[in-house]
Amino acid sequence: MAAILAALTGALAVQLLFVLWNRRYLVELGEPSRHRGGRQEAGGRNKKEAESRVGSARARARADIPLEGYKVMPSDISILVPARNEERNIGDCLQSLLALRGRPHEILVLDDHSEDGTASIVSRIAGDPESGVKLLQGGPLPEGWMGKSHACSQLAEAASGRWLLFVDADVRLGPDALEAAAAEASLQRSGLVSGFPRQETGGWMERLVVSMMMFTILIHLPLRLVSRSDDPRFAAANGAFIFVEARSYERMGGHGAVRESLLDDMDLIRQAKLRGEPVRLARIDRVASMRMYRSPGEVWSGYRKNLFPGLGRSLPLMGFVFIVYALLYLAPPAALLGGLAAWAVSGAAPLWLGWAASAAALGMAVKTAADLSSGLPAWYGMFVPASIVLTIFIGLDSARVHYAGSGYEWKGRRYA
């Protein structure tokens, strides 16, 4: 037992060091840094290096963009909001957009056949000509399209800004968000940028499960390679905040290229990589926030539609990942509790109790480091065993729905 727990302690120590190293590459939106990623830094700061890539797909895609003096202003950015049954969110979302420093080129909201008061709320705000808000009515959902991808595609077709910022209706942008986005666009010059808004949570299910998003990215994915590698396997994005240069969006094929995907955000950034466009995952929790779900049922349904598809619908891969999670984050606290109980009964502490305590503490430290990188409270990390258990059960339910063939339901629609 001591040897097993010592090995788990060593693995968790390595995991913590990896997360701490990985966080360096989660750079604030719009901030220049040596950790941003080498490809987009070529614009304006290393002309010789950029010119040496003329033969690459990335260089060809950006050949019409000046290497120096490229500047994007807030007024160059179209803000695009797809909305379906969002009456509880859309008003506050639009108020945050109207409070931005720097006026966007336009704010377009597409009502995707909502069955509630979404359209009337948007229409009331758009009635003020000073708002710059325009309401669009979505067309019928074509065969083979996911609802959100179709809505985003229609929004992009209607937009006329140099850069397109897709935000979900449950996102609230801070006053400085548009200026930060413009600074980011000026640094990157083309391609796609995404990020994870700070997650506002209410109930315990939200705190335990929603906080796992950044955790799973930071423990698995080298963020350095999101920007510096063309390999589409190194990709991470959040559909709640997709910022893309308009011509890059066209070269990628837009949302039409990912029309059948439940994970449109991940597949969109992969398309960008495959087309040679620069991409980056930025830290945006200081300029954007959101509350995705408001009940345990919504949390469960939302993650159920994503978990198994996010693992490539591979049962062996999901089984492997969950076994590793259980060994690293469930076994040590279980051993610690068992050791403490044995100590209380026998009066003698097991020799391996120290290893169990060390491994359990390191597991909490890994989760805490991930939470702090996305603006979440540090104390969430204390409950990482509960977060892991819930994630495993939701993942198993996600696989069950897939193999049952009943499809995943979201926003009143059912998808295979």
Side-chain angles (χ1 to χ4, degrees):
M1 176 69 84
I4 294 173
L5 288 170
L8 293 176
T9 300
L12 283 162
V14 171
Q15 183 80 92
L16 178 59
L17 290 174
F18 175 76
V19 169
L20 294 174
W21 169 82
N22 213 13
R23 293 197 317 175
R24 300 187 309 162
Y25 296 93
L26 196 62
V27 179
E28 297 280 353
L29 184 75
E31 288 192 6
S33 168
R34 64 189 179 91
H35 295 309
R36 283 177 57 89
R39 281 179 163 82
Q40 53 265 56
E41 290 172 356
R45 288 194 289 176
N46 195 338
K47 185 174 181 179
K48 183 178 292 185
E49 180 185 352
E51 289 173 341
S52 71
R53 299 193 182 109
V54 171
S56 70
R58 192 179 300 276
R60 289 195 302 272
R62 304 173 74 186
D64 57 345
I65 300 175
L67 290 174
E68 296 180 1
Y70 182 79
K71 183 73 172 175
V72 175
M73 303 298 292
S75 57
D76 295 318
I77 300 171
S78 293
I79 301 180
L80 312 177
V81 186
R84 176 174 168 82
N85 297 339
E86 294 285 1
E87 67 177 0
R88 73 183 181 190
N89 289 315
I90 193 63
D92 289 341
C93 174
L94 290 178
Q95 291 304 323
S96 78
L97 300 184
L98 295 176
L100 290 168
R101 294 194 186 99
R103 189 178 179 90
H105 180 73
E106 58 192 348
I107 301 173
L108 304 182
V109 182
L110 185 130
D111 176 46
D112 186 18
H113 302 278
S114 295
E115 299 161 336
D116 59 9
T118 298
S120 62
I121 294 171
V122 179
S123 181
R124 184 171 64 250
I125 295 173
D128 179 0
E130 295 297 317
S131 70
V133 175
K134 182 178 179 181
L135 174 64
L136 307 177
Q137 294 296 334
L141 183 64
E143 186 72 25
W145 280 78
M146 297 294 157
K148 184 178 178 181
S149 290
H150 186 233
C152 288
S153 181
Q154 294 172 84
L155 282 164
E157 187 175 339
S160 55
R162 291 167 61 194
W163 280 75
L164 312 177
L165 176 56
F166 295 93
V167 295
D168 282 356
D170 49 11
V171 169
R172 312 291 180 261
L173 294 185
D176 299 328
L178 199 62
E179 292 178 341
E184 180 69 32
S186 298
L187 287 167
Q188 180 147 319
R189 300 187 295 122
S190 66
L192 182 150
V193 181
S194 188
F196 286 78
R198 183 180 71 259
Q199 297 298 320
E200 304 287 354
T201 56
W204 277 101
M205 179 75 89
E206 295 172 64
R207 296 186 180 103
L208 294 174
V209 178
V210 174
S211 65
M212 290 292 286
M213 282 196 299
M214 188 55 69
F215 171 81
T216 55
I217 289 173
L218 286 174
I219 68 172
H220 292 296
L221 179 66
L223 295 184
R224 185 175 186 269
L225 297 181
V226 173
S227 298
R228 300 191 183 193
S229 169
D230 289 321
D231 192 329
R233 290 175 297 180
F234 298 111
N238 187 337
F241 188 99
I242 297 288
F243 187 43
V244 58
E245 199 261 341
R247 288 174 296 182
S248 295
Y249 182 81
E250 292 176 3
R251 289 190 290 263
M252 292 155 45
H255 280 83
V258 297
R259 67 187 64 156
E260 297 179 346
S261 175
L262 275 169
L263 304 171
D264 55 285
D265 45 9
M266 292 293 291
D267 285 333
L268 196 63
I269 197 171
R270 291 187 181 113
Q271 281 295 317
K273 286 196 160 207
L274 291 171
R275 296 292 185 267
E277 298 290 342
V279 302
R280 194 168 86 82
L281 185 70
R283 180 171 183 175
I284 66 169
D285 60 279
R286 289 187 175 91
V287 297
S289 64
M290 68 185 301
R291 186 173 181 186
M292 297 171 62
Y293 310 113
R294 295 176 183 266
S295 70
E298 286 186 9
V299 174
W300 193 282
S301 296
Y303 277 82
R304 180 174 60 189
K305 73 179 174 62
N306 291 331
L307 260 175
F308 194 54
L311 290 167
R313 303 178 191 258
S314 169
L315 204 55
L317 177 59
M318 187 177 76
F320 173 77
V321 169
F322 286 171
I323 288 171
V324 172
Y325 280 9
L327 285 172
L328 290 177
Y329 298 102
L330 298 183
L336 177 60
L337 291 175
L340 291 172
W343 188 3
V345 171
S346 67
L351 296 177
W352 42 263
L353 187 61
W355 286 117
S358 297
L362 281 169
M364 294 176 188
V366 172
K367 179 64 162 51
T368 297
D371 288 342
L372 290 176
S373 71
S374 55
L376 293 174
W379 61 267
Y380 282 16
M382 296 173 56
F383 299 94
V384 64
S387 295
I388 295 293
V389 168
L390 284 169
T391 300
I392 289 174
F393 277 112
I394 295 173
L396 293 174
D397 192 33
S398 180
R400 178 195 64 79
V401 170
H402 169 75
Y403 286 110
S406 55
Y408 301 100
E409 185 173 350
W410 190 246
K411 302 274 187 188
R413 289 169 172 157
R414 188 171 293 276
Y415 303 106

